[in-house]
Amino acid sequence: MRAGDSLYGIAAKYHVTVRDLEEWNHLSSTVIHPGQILVVSSTSSSAGASSSSSASRPGATTYVVQPGDSLWSISAKFHVSMAQLEAWNGLSSSSTIHPGETLRVSSSQAASAVHSASKLSSLSSRGSAPGASNATLAQSALGFAVADYARTFLGDPYEWGASGPSAFDCSGLIQYVFAHFYIQLPRTSYAQYEAGVPVSESELEPGDIVFFDTYGSGPSHDGIYLGNGQFINAASTSVEIDSLSDPYWASHYIGARRVIGQNG
């Protein structure tokens, strides 16, 4: 168990929804405690099915892509890995999916393996929004996963024009991190500022992209919001975590965009 873990992060790690975790563990609230053991996988083919549509049940073999879907959210919905979705549908890590497209989401062997698996993990909590839809919960879980993945590059060197994996500039880090979750973004901070939808500073969530006017010429710098007023960015010397309340960043902040759930 690690301090700071959450149901969102747990859901992202095991490709399930927060609501699944609540149901499987008979939780009456989203609060969990250090040392608590949680079941993070269903042992029956019906667990986790919250939609009346046959295309949304874990036993379904195909799924029609909906607006806002990504390979990550579909893998979470059907309790399979993104690698499996790629293999079953002839996709690669650079592939994009589009609303209306039909994807294969299970095989007879995979379905049997997935629904017979049961894993245990000791975890802690930050909680989730009661009554939120599974789609919203999946998007929130993905936001936490994006933020956590971005942290793995903390301390990596800054290099102008670098897009990883050994060095980054600001927009190169953004593009690289989101590509890991099959969200394709433009290369520059100026183009990234046009992606997704605007979000106010008071409504920021982990995984949102925050932008700054550092050269007096628009969104010349960006980072990934982590929560609690902090963001991670490739700055002058390395990838670092900074605070939106820092006088420098506060005076140059110009807005944020949410791309999770906004493209395929």
Side-chain angles (χ1 to χ4, degrees):
M1 196 279 297
R2 294 196 306 269
D5 282 341
S6 70
L7 286 184
Y8 287 124
I10 298 164
K13 180 176 182 179
Y14 292 97
H15 295 267
V16 298
T17 68
V18 173
R19 187 166 296 176
D20 285 337
L21 293 176
E22 292 173 339
E23 179 181 340
W24 298 338
N25 293 279
H26 307 289
L27 300 175
S28 59
S29 74
T30 58
V31 176
I32 53 178
H33 307 283
Q36 185 174 355
I37 303 274
L38 295 183
V39 174
V40 295
S41 178
S42 170
T43 57
S44 69
S45 61
S46 61
S50 60
S51 172
S52 60
S53 168
S54 61
S56 296
R57 292 198 301 267
T61 58
T62 61
Y63 174 74
V64 178
V65 177
Q66 302 299 308
D69 278 340
S70 67
L71 280 183
W72 188 93
S73 65
I74 295 171
S75 71
K77 182 190 294 289
F78 292 97
H79 301 182
V80 298
S81 70
M82 289 187 291
Q84 287 173 313
L85 289 178
E86 289 176 354
W88 297 336
N89 294 279
L91 303 174
S92 69
S93 59
S94 61
S95 298
T96 58
I97 57 175
H98 308 280
E101 183 178 351
T102 299
L103 296 181
R104 185 172 182 177
V105 293
S106 74
S107 70
S108 57
Q109 293 178 338
S112 174
V114 167
H115 299 310
S116 64
S118 179
K119 298 178 181 179
L120 296 178
S121 179
S122 48
L123 306 153
S124 180
S125 155
R126 280 196 294 258
S128 65
S133 69
N134 279 347
T136 300
L137 293 173
Q139 291 171 18
S140 296
L142 179 53
F144 276 94
V146 167
D148 286 343
Y149 182 65
R151 285 188 181 93
T152 66
F153 301 102
L154 190 63
D156 282 7
Y158 173 91
E159 181 180 321
W160 177 266
S163 55
S166 59
F168 300 93
D169 66 10
C170 63
S171 56
L173 175 66
I174 302 296
Q175 185 186 54
Y176 190 89
V177 168
F178 279 93
H180 181 77
F181 296 92
Y182 301 86
I183 297 175
Q184 306 302 318
L185 293 178
R187 175 61 181 85
T188 70
S189 59
Y190 297 93
Q192 290 169 2
Y193 190 66
E194 302 301 321
V197 297
V199 57
S200 67
E201 186 173 358
S202 63
E203 296 179 337
L204 284 171
E205 295 180 359
D208 289 340
I209 306 175
V210 290
F211 293 86
F212 307 87
D213 181 353
T214 54
Y215 298 114
S217 58
S220 53
H221 186 77
D222 54 1
I224 297 174
Y225 187 67
L226 302 177
N228 298 319
Q230 295 185 318
F231 67 98
I232 188 168
N233 65 127
S236 58
T237 60
S238 66
V239 177
E240 62 186 41
I241 294 176
D242 291 298
S243 173
L244 290 176
S245 62
D246 177 274
Y248 175 81
W249 295 113
S251 65
H252 289 83
Y253 179 81
I254 60 173
R257 294 292 186 271
R258 180 167 298 156
V259 298
I260 293 173
Q262 306 304 317
N263 62 354

